[in-house]
Amino acid sequence: MQGRSPDQESVGSGTKRSSASSGGRPRNQEFFYKFVDSDSLTEKLVDWFQSVTEDCALKQQAFDVPFELIELQKFDYALEGISFQQLTRMPNAVHASTSDAVEATAYLAIEDFLHAGIKGLWEAFWSQDEPMPFSVACLYNSNMKFYQAEQAIANGRLGGLCGTGILLNNSRHLHGKWDHVLELALLRPDVGGHAVGSDRQPSPSVLGEALFYALRMLLARSLSRLSFFPDPCTVFVLLVDSQYGGVVKVEGDVNKLKFDLNNVYECAAEWVKNHSRISVSPIDRIWNKLGNANWGDIGALQVLFATFHCIMQFAGMPKHSVEDLAADHSSRLQTRRVERQLGDTSVNGNGVLRYPQRSVSPEIVEVEDDSVKVDSKESMISEGTILWLEDSDWQRGYQIKEVISTSELTYFIASHLEDPGKNLFLYVGSHPSQLEPAWEDMNLWYQVQRQTKVLTIMKQRGLSSKYLPQLSASGRIIHPGHCGRPSSGGNCDHPWCGTPILVTSPVGETVAEMVRSGQFGSEEAIRCCHDCLSALSAVASAGIRHGEIRPENVICVKSGVRHPYFVLIGWGHAILEDRDRPAMNLHFSSTYALQEGKLCSASDAESLVYMLYYSCGGVFPDLDSVEGALLWRETSWSRRLIQQKLGDISTVLKAFADYVDSLCGTPYPMDYDIWLRRLRRNIHEDDHGKEIDATG
């Protein structure tokens, strides 16, 4: 601690003083002792809250945020390898405030959360050897003193608890001193309900209470003999409920406050309006549905960052700066990359198995028999070939520009003869009589016939988005030569007769190709996540789900557009009704799909997370069974390996993975809107004055 003794006299926490002792007190100290009712201050600020909200109607938030995203990202890098632990679970939000037992557990959980956070930060940044000079206690409203949660509950004070504070240890003042309060957390049941899922601030009552306690802390510091780094004019108040939390930062010089003892709350309100700077963070999830803290999520991260600043005010600059610890992130990342490239399958010093780098096949592929030689129609189509397509009313010609062959199927880039400048994807399906002999023909059936049905339904229902493929044409091949098809229907003997064709737009490079060529970076990952979610959101209202998200089914469109964007293709396995079944993929299918053969509301998002994990350098083990695939998923989520990998790329992707993890296997719907907004904020355009297209 720098130049201070916690045993020296400072401002008391109690509010009761004898009239004889109050006569000689300075006006600002007397003002502090009279400033005890948060409701009175909130009442004086109601009109101001409303005017601030109306004035900022065009902004996303009425107040600035206390931390920039880049600051949180750097702090997140610095916290890599630091373990935080929560001992008491936060009770489920459904049962919040229904009983004294539940409320008591909530205060115990808050106390444990703050203690675990400050202990982890102290040992990581300041000292692992020196004892932590802070403690955590609950604030009792009637006398403004602090008590340990268990002690307060045992003494019947539960109903009067109004907050939980982090305090500087002082053996002479067991119930705390107000100038020893680093940070205060207010547990209120309506924090998340008023703010989550929108850009609104906390309710005026909650925010007014936070400002009351912030000003009380500032007043106490102005009267204190303690010294603060860099100054005493900044305080943080946390707003939490049983799931969500946020940070309120208040800055201001209380010497500019008019200490009128007859109008305490009017003076305080005027100071808030005219001499303070208020910052309010977005309200984000801190605890999951099981009551465990999501230490790696952005909600907990901004709370920890506020606590970090509070420790620094009392303890001075840390021995290890955020920049120093964050700088190690690059070396840790490089080490992991080297380990993958070396292909070392030994167990490292941390007991974690390192898998060799490998090219992941999206499906279990049957080994082909080289002795079997089949002349397929795809092998007869080459660059320059012109194919004619027949529908019930018209005929169209398409010239093949490029043949694309994968391990699963062959398709083409073509252009319409009347519009040669526009490229299109052209898929040639299986002949109706050839569906039985080969599994490859079933893949073609899903790619062409089934996808044609799905895209047609989307078009009929008016589901459109630039992130969805557009149905350009569909029909049957007109083969060269005479067609002997009978007038009653059916096909002639020609191998192409009756073969279906699907033509779609736009055309782009698949994510799988981008990964192989090293073109899929952090910017691409964030945009890809946004665009795929936009596509899923566009069809979700009609009850349609994709069912086969993987790197081969997402393309990046670059030609003819100002900013590249991603399109979710490959809708052949889409789920239109309950009896439909998704594609089974050991690497990219959701856990629920592998277990039940069906999709839950978050299954597509889970597959998207796996795709981003792989595309950003994540390594899959050898998976040859559903049991192995499920075990890998369970291990990866429990150890937060997926979140850590995505956290290397972007904080918002890490937070999105945590969100998906909390929804996996549940009936709760995806909240697409909030994640599309968050992802949009992290997409950097060359033209900073224009917002990206948010359609879909």
Side-chain angles (χ1 to χ4, degrees):
M1 309 298 291
Q2 297 185 352
R4 64 179 64 84
S5 170
D7 291 332
Q8 61 188 311
E9 289 299 325
S10 55
V11 178
S13 64
T15 60
K16 297 180 180 179
R17 297 288 188 276
S18 67
S19 58
S21 65
S22 64
R25 283 199 297 262
R27 291 177 65 84
N28 55 349
Q29 191 172 1
E30 187 66 30
F31 188 96
F32 171 78
Y33 289 131
K34 285 192 172 189
F35 189 62
V36 294
D37 185 11
S38 63
D39 291 337
S40 296
L41 177 62
T42 301
E43 183 181 349
K44 302 294 182 183
L45 293 173
V46 169
D47 293 339
W48 180 71
F49 283 139
Q50 184 175 357
S51 65
V52 169
T53 303
E54 291 174 352
D55 291 343
C56 301
L58 298 179
K59 294 176 60 177
Q60 292 182 336
Q61 295 188 156
F63 300 100
D64 291 333
V65 293
F67 311 118
E68 295 297 331
L69 191 60
I70 188 66
E71 293 180 286
L72 292 174
Q73 185 179 40
K74 186 185 296 183
F75 189 62
D76 185 37
Y77 287 158
L79 293 184
E80 282 186 341
I82 300 173
S83 60
F84 298 95
Q85 184 180 7
Q86 185 187 17
L87 304 179
T88 301
R89 290 175 184 253
M90 177 65 73
N92 191 297
V94 175
H95 307 292
S97 302
T98 58
S99 69
D100 288 347
V102 170
E103 189 174 356
T105 305
Y107 273 103
L108 291 171
I110 286 287
E111 194 172 82
D112 275 348
F113 173 79
L114 293 177
H115 183 272
I118 199 167
K119 184 175 185 293
L121 293 172
W122 174 260
E123 293 177 351
F125 291 95
W126 276 269
S127 176
Q128 290 186 334
D129 302 321
E130 298 178 20
M132 181 180 70
F134 309 110
S135 59
V136 180
C138 291
L139 176 63
Y140 190 57
N141 187 51
S142 63
N143 61 9
M144 289 290 174
K145 291 185 178 182
F146 291 87
Y147 301 85
Q148 295 296 313
E150 290 183 353
Q151 178 188 359
I153 294 168
N155 293 338
R157 299 179 186 270
L158 176 62
L161 297 181
C162 59
T164 303
I166 300 174
L167 294 88
L168 183 65
N169 287 337
N170 191 331
S171 59
R172 293 179 57 188
H173 301 282
L174 298 180
H175 296 303
K177 306 291 287 183
W178 269 91
D179 56 332
H180 290 171
V181 179
L182 278 72
E183 186 177 59
L184 196 66
L186 305 180
L187 176 62
R188 299 295 178 266
D190 56 349
V191 171
H194 280 272
V196 174
S198 72
D199 290 319
R200 292 178 297 165
Q201 300 298 302
S203 66
S205 61
V206 173
L207 190 53
E209 192 173 8
L211 295 177
F212 165 78
Y213 286 110
L215 181 52
R216 187 170 175 82
M217 292 164 65
L218 288 171
L219 285 168
R221 293 183 184 186
S222 70
L223 297 168
S224 177
R225 297 177 183 177
L226 298 176
S227 58
F228 301 87
F229 178 85
D231 61 64
C233 296
T234 301
V235 293
F236 293 89
V237 177
L238 309 180
L239 305 176
V240 295
D241 60 20
S242 58
Q243 287 183 294
Y244 298 92
V247 176
V248 177
K249 177 182 178 182
V250 180
E251 302 169 271
D253 183 1
V254 292
N255 292 320
K256 296 180 179 179
L257 194 153
K258 296 180 181 179
F259 296 103
D260 184 348
L261 301 182
N262 296 319
N263 296 288
V264 172
Y265 298 100
E266 289 84 349
C267 293
E270 287 300 315
W271 181 87
V272 169
K273 297 174 187 177
N274 300 317
H275 301 291
S276 71
R277 180 181 178 186
I278 301 167
S279 308
V280 184
S281 76
I283 303 297
D284 273 290
R285 181 180 290 275
I286 295 180
W287 290 273
N288 61 26
K289 296 185 188 304
L290 296 176
N292 294 319
N294 290 325
W295 291 109
D297 206 345
I298 195 168
L301 192 65
Q302 60 193 11
V303 168
L304 288 172
F305 200 35
T307 305
F308 172 84
H309 284 283
C310 293
I311 298 175
M312 193 163 60
Q313 288 179 321
F314 282 77
M317 290 295 290
K319 293 180 180 178
H320 308 287
S321 69
V322 172
E323 289 74 15
D324 290 341
L325 293 185
D328 293 337
H329 164 77
S330 297
S331 61
R332 288 190 293 264
L333 181 61
Q334 183 62 28
T335 299
R336 289 195 290 270
R337 286 173 175 166
V338 170
E339 288 171 354
R340 288 201 305 273
Q341 291 168 356
L342 288 175
D344 185 359
T345 57
S346 63
V347 176
N348 64 18
N350 297 322
V352 180
L353 183 65
R354 296 201 296 261
Y355 292 106
Q357 189 177 21
R358 61 188 295 269
S359 176
V360 178
S361 171
E363 298 279 4
I364 301 175
V365 181
E366 183 179 350
V367 178
E368 297 181 359
D369 186 350
D370 292 335
S371 64
V372 179
K373 205 72 173 170
V374 179
D375 289 331
S376 65
K377 55 185 168 295
E378 288 87 356
S379 65
M380 300 169 61
I381 302 174
S382 59
E383 293 184 22
T385 301
I386 295 178
L387 295 179
W388 287 89
L389 179 149
E390 178 186 37
D391 199 351
S392 56
D393 299 324
W394 41 255
Q395 297 180 357
R396 292 185 181 181
Y398 295 90
Q399 184 171 24
I400 304 300
K401 291 186 172 181
E402 183 179 347
V403 180
I404 302 175
S405 296
T406 69
S407 59
E408 298 173 345
L409 51 84
T410 298
Y411 60 102
F412 311 92
I413 294 179
S415 63
H416 193 281
L417 293 180
E418 296 179 2
D419 187 7
K422 182 179 180 180
N423 288 343
L424 305 163
F425 277 138
L426 187 147
Y427 305 92
V428 179
S430 297
H431 191 279
S433 65
Q434 295 177 343
L435 289 181
E436 294 298 330
W439 177 253
E440 290 81 0
D441 285 318
M442 283 304 299
N443 284 339
L444 285 175
W445 182 84
Y446 277 106
Q447 187 71 27
V448 182
Q449 284 98 314
R450 182 73 187 340
Q451 185 169 207
T452 299
K453 175 185 176 181
V454 173
L455 296 182
T456 300
I457 290 174
M458 289 183 184
K459 190 173 184 178
Q460 291 171 346
R461 296 183 182 179
L463 304 176
S464 63
S465 168
K466 79 173 191 177
Y467 309 112
L468 291 171
Q470 303 301 312
L471 177 63
S472 295
S474 64
R476 296 180 300 180
I477 286 182
I478 303 175
H479 61 78
H482 174 71
C483 181
R485 184 171 57 193
S487 58
S488 58
N491 302 304
C492 71
D493 295 334
H494 195 283
W496 285 15
C497 190
T499 299
I501 290 182
L502 170 64
V503 184
T504 66
S505 65
V507 167
E509 184 180 21
T510 67
V511 168
E513 294 167 337
M514 295 177 70
V515 171
R516 283 194 292 269
S517 60
Q519 299 178 18
F520 196 87
S522 59
E523 291 291 331
E524 288 77 14
I526 297 172
R527 184 179 289 279
C528 180
C529 186
H530 170 274
D531 296 354
C532 288
L533 282 183
S534 295
L536 296 175
S537 175
V539 300
S541 59
I544 299 175
R545 294 169 186 162
H546 188 277
E548 198 185 9
I549 295 180
R550 53 193 177 99
E552 291 79 5
N553 281 340
V554 180
I555 61 171
C556 181
V557 180
K558 300 178 181 178
S559 178
V561 295
R562 184 172 186 179
H563 300 293
Y565 64 95
F566 291 84
V567 176
L568 183 57
I569 63 172
W571 289 83
H573 284 277
I575 307 301
L576 302 177
E577 48 189 320
D578 290 341
R579 65 180 181 180
D580 294 334
R581 293 293 178 262
M584 301 298 285
N585 188 304
L586 296 182
H587 295 102
F588 301 106
S589 288
S590 69
T591 303
Y592 195 76
L594 293 177
Q595 289 175 328
E596 306 293 336
K598 297 186 291 185
L599 300 186
C600 67
S601 61
S603 287
D604 279 336
E606 184 181 348
S607 294
L608 176 58
V609 169
Y610 296 144
M611 187 195 78
L612 293 172
Y613 167 79
Y614 163 71
S615 302
C616 293
V619 180
F620 288 118
D622 256 334
L623 299 177
D624 55 8
S625 68
V626 171
E627 291 77 12
L630 291 172
L631 179 61
W632 176 82
R633 283 157 172 75
E634 180 182 0
T635 302
S636 299
W637 285 116
S638 63
R639 294 182 180 177
R640 299 184 57 78
L641 301 179
I642 294 172
Q643 292 95 319
Q644 290 173 16
K645 166 54 64 179
L646 294 181
D648 293 342
I649 304 301
S650 165
T651 303
V652 72
L653 291 183
K654 182 180 183 181
F656 176 67
D658 270 321
Y659 172 75
V660 172
D661 183 28
S662 71
L663 284 186
C664 288
T666 72
Y668 301 109
M670 279 282 300
D671 189 339
Y672 290 105
D673 291 340
I674 189 171
W675 286 104
L676 289 174
R677 285 197 298 271
R678 290 178 181 175
L679 289 162
R680 278 200 294 272
R681 295 187 192 117
N682 287 268
I683 294 176
H684 305 294
E685 301 286 6
D686 294 334
D687 185 355
H688 296 285
K690 302 194 177 180
E691 188 168 328
I692 67 167
D693 181 7
T695 59

